[in-house]
Each structure stands twice: as structure tokens, then as C-alpha cells.
Amino acid sequence: MGNIIRLNDKQPAEEWLSMSNGGTDVLLDVLVLAGSALAEKDSEKEQVVWLAQHDQNVVGLGTVGFDITEMPWTKADFASQQVFMLRCIAAAREKLWWEKLEYEPNEELLMPQLDTFESFIRAMTEELVDENERLEWLAEADDDDPQLNGFPVCRKHQVLRSWCGCRFCTVYGHGVSYF
Ligand SMILES: [Zn+2]
């Protein structure tokens, strides 16, 4: 079992990013850490919160694969969102906020995955943006979900929370969230 990240369903299968469950967690952890450190605009925070909610500790192992086209892109903000995601990937390679991790990522596995993820973000285009993905995500949110409530961060980790809580508290805090 594992998870697959791909650009969309038209991408040839041999180009998909196929990862173990553990590898998926590491990739998403370092992206959420860098994204939480760098996000300023709401459209940037939405991307980070959306990634953060792919939390296998909450929703189940092997269930968090996704298409890049499913992320909450908007046509108006697409260019800046794409630049933001590329900054997050670069910062993840530079280990931004890795001191918050209570484990050592396997860089030999992670760095090529970041390269592939970057290639997907670069392949994303404004034409591929389906704003309904974002609208449905917001419509499905509960009233107290972070994306509808000013993007609160975890008091302990300063990381953007998703409806799953803080990614790092759900692992290390055994369900305790430091809101
Ligand atoms: Zn936390």
C-alpha cells in the first residue's frame, strides 16, 4: 500500500510519484513546515492547509494520494500560487523548520520526490485550473475548519492546522492538539 501523487489523470502512469505511506508523510511534512513558515496570503495558506489535511494518522494509511489539479488553485492567483509552491519546495530542500520534526528524514528518498513534485507544480498551468475544486473544498468544510476561520496555527509548532489538527501534534501529541 502507498500513495500516488500525479498531475492529473491524463499524465502517463510511469511519470506518477508513487510513494510508501511513510515516504508520503515525510514529503507532506516538509512541505507543510516550509509552507507554514512562508505563507502570507490567504491563497497561499489555502494550499498549505489543503496539503496538511492529507494526514494519514487521521484519514487512514494509503488514502492521501492526490492530483495536483485538485489543489485549491484560482485562476486569478495561479501565477503567484505556483511561485509560492516552488518556494516551498526550495525551502523544504533547505530544511526550513526541520528542527520541529522529531525524526530525521531520509534525504536519499525525499530529495528525488521533491524533484518530481516540483516537476508537477511546474507542469501545472492556468488552463488546468478548475476553480470548482477549491469551491467544493470550501463548501465541504465545517464551520470551525481552519480555512474558514483565519488560518490558525498550532501554538506549539506554529504550523498551519487543517481540520485534522496540527500534523505534528497528531503524531507526537498522541491526539493532543495545542490550539
Ligand atoms: Zn502542533
Side-chain angles (χ1 to χ4, degrees):
M1 204 158 72
N3 299 285
I4 289 169
I5 298 176
R6 59 186 187 180
L7 176 62
N8 60 16
D9 60 7
K10 307 215 172 30
Q11 187 177 35
E14 62 266 24
E15 295 178 9
W16 297 354
L17 179 54
S18 180
M19 292 173 290
S20 68
N21 293 329
T24 309
D25 278 343
V26 177
L27 178 69
L28 290 171
D29 279 353
V30 299
L31 289 172
V32 169
L33 287 173
S36 294
L38 296 175
E40 293 178 350
K41 295 159 61 172
D42 285 357
S43 61
E44 297 168 348
K45 293 176 182 177
E46 285 184 1
Q47 298 282 40
V48 179
V49 168
W50 191 90
L51 289 173
Q53 78 179 24
H54 291 71
D55 188 336
Q56 295 183 100
N57 291 294
V58 177
V59 299
L61 292 171
T63 66
V64 298
F66 61 87
D67 291 356
I68 299 296
T69 51
E70 295 172 336
M71 293 175 69
W73 305 102
T74 67
K75 292 207 183 266
D77 270 323
F78 172 72
S80 72
Q81 285 180 306
Q82 186 181 39
V83 168
F84 170 71
M85 286 308 308
L86 293 173
R87 287 176 59 218
C88 290
I89 294 162
R93 285 198 192 94
E94 298 295 320
K95 308 182 182 181
L96 183 59
W97 279 14
W98 278 26
E99 66 274 15
K100 297 177 188 291
L101 292 170
E102 294 188 15
Y103 65 89
E104 286 282 329
N106 181 331
E107 294 180 40
E108 283 182 31
L109 287 175
L110 172 63
M111 295 303 171
Q113 291 169 347
L114 281 169
D115 293 345
T116 304
F117 190 78
E118 177 177 345
S119 75
F120 295 170
I121 295 296
R122 289 188 184 280
M124 183 67 195
T125 63
E126 189 180 330
E127 289 68 41
L128 290 174
V129 173
D130 177 0
E131 296 196 340
N132 287 324
E133 296 283 2
R134 173 176 174 273
L135 295 176
E136 285 168 18
W137 177 58
L138 294 175
E140 289 166 1
D142 289 336
D143 289 345
D144 56 355
D145 281 358
Q147 61 268 41
L148 301 182
N149 291 279
F151 304 98
V153 298
C154 170
R155 227 167 47 199
K156 181 177 180 187
H157 295 105
Q158 293 82 48
V159 168
L160 285 162
R161 289 165 42 207
S162 75
W163 70 265
C164 298
C166 165
R167 281 183 75 83
F168 304 95
C169 286
T170 54
V171 179
Y172 309 135
H174 306 287
V176 178
S177 269
Y178 298 85
F179 295 165

